[in-house]
Structure formats: C-alpha cells, structure tokens
C-alpha cells in the first residue's frame, strides 16, 4: 500500500477570537452624540467592527445602536473601544440587555444560515 501523499496540519488557535464574526450587508452603527453613522465591517455576539476613521480611542466607552437595512434592531448598547487602526475600529460590547443580546444573536445566526444555504446551493450546481 502506497504512503498517503497528503498532509494536513492545523495552526494552534491564538485564542483571540471569542466568537464567530459575520459580515452582514446593510449593517450600520449609530453612536449616541455623534452625527456620523458608521458601516459595520462585521458583527459577533461579543462586538462589532466599524469601517473608516472614527476618531475613537482605545478604552473609550460609547452608547451605540445597530441598524440593519435602515431599521433599528438594537439600541442603548454600551460598547468599549478595543482596537483602533487608520480605517477600522473594534468595539466590544460591555453591556447588552436581553433584547439587544437576542437581536445580535439573531443577526449573526441569520447570516450563518444564509451562508450555509449559499454553500449548499453552490455544491448542488456541481453535482
């Protein structure tokens, strides 16, 4: 029997990711006291990423609202700035009430379902 020519290895996890991050089209973040509305780069049950320059600094805390396709899905969320780059700001949720937590989980789960359906449909095209 010939030796298996394939080798699979996995890199150990860095441990930084606390939850699945979903890229959700049409997701925006409104920060209380600011006129700007920021596009979200991704959303997870533990936080949200904002695209573009925000002028925020690591350690600051803000009250935010999440909007999907123009409709408010969660508000009065306390978020702490955990990462700032020239075109990205990472916010970690510091206070989610049950309603906001359910809304965030629903958005992430709906996106995971959409992606799974897209993969399934894609596989069926080649069968």
């Amino acid at each position: 029997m010939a030796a298996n020519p394939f080798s699979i290895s996995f890199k150990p996890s860095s441990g930084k990711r606390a939850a699945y991050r979903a890229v959700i089209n049409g997701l925006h973040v409104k920060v209380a006291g600011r006129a700007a509305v920021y596009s979200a780069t991704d959303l997870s049950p533990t936080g949200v990423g904002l695209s573009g320059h925000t002028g925020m600094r690591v350690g600051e805390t803000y009250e935010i609202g999440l909007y999907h396709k123009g409709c408010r899905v969660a508000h009065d969320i306390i978020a702490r700035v955990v990462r700032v780059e020239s075109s990205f700001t990472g916010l970690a949720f510091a206070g989610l009430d049950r309603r906001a937590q359910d809304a965030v989980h629903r958005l992430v789960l709906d996106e995971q379902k959409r992606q799974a359906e897209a993969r399934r449909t894609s596989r069926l095209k080649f069968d």
Side-chain angles (χ1 to χ4, degrees):
M1 186 164 166
N4 186 346
F6 298 101
S7 173
I8 298 175
S9 63
F10 298 95
K11 294 180 183 176
S13 172
S14 66
K16 289 185 177 184
R17 268 313 153 246
Y20 176 81
R21 294 190 310 180
V23 176
I24 301 172
N25 291 328
L27 185 65
H28 295 88
V29 177
K30 174 72 175 106
V31 178
R34 291 184 173 213
V37 176
Y38 303 98
S39 292
T41 58
D42 55 58
L43 176 71
S44 79
T46 60
V48 63
L50 309 179
S51 66
H53 179 73
T54 63
M56 297 177 181
R57 291 182 289 197
V58 171
E60 293 178 330
T61 303
Y62 294 93
E63 182 180 310
I64 66 170
L66 299 176
Y67 293 79
H68 186 239
K69 297 182 180 176
C71 296
R72 184 173 73 176
V73 293
H75 61 95
D76 300 332
I77 298 170
I78 303 302
R80 183 175 39 85
V81 180
V82 294
R83 187 171 137 200
V84 176
E85 295 179 4
S86 60
S87 62
F88 175 83
T89 301
L91 304 177
F93 299 137
L96 281 178
D97 63 20
R98 181 60 186 212
R99 183 174 290 165
Q101 186 178 28
D102 288 347
V104 168
H105 283 277
R106 186 171 41 256
L107 282 169
V108 172
L109 183 59
D110 286 349
E111 180 58 21
Q112 286 178 307
K113 287 178 182 178
R114 189 199 65 74
Q115 290 175 1
E117 180 62 21
R119 283 191 302 273
R120 187 186 72 77
T121 303
S122 172
R123 280 195 306 264
L124 291 176
K125 289 179 184 176
F126 296 108
D127 287 345

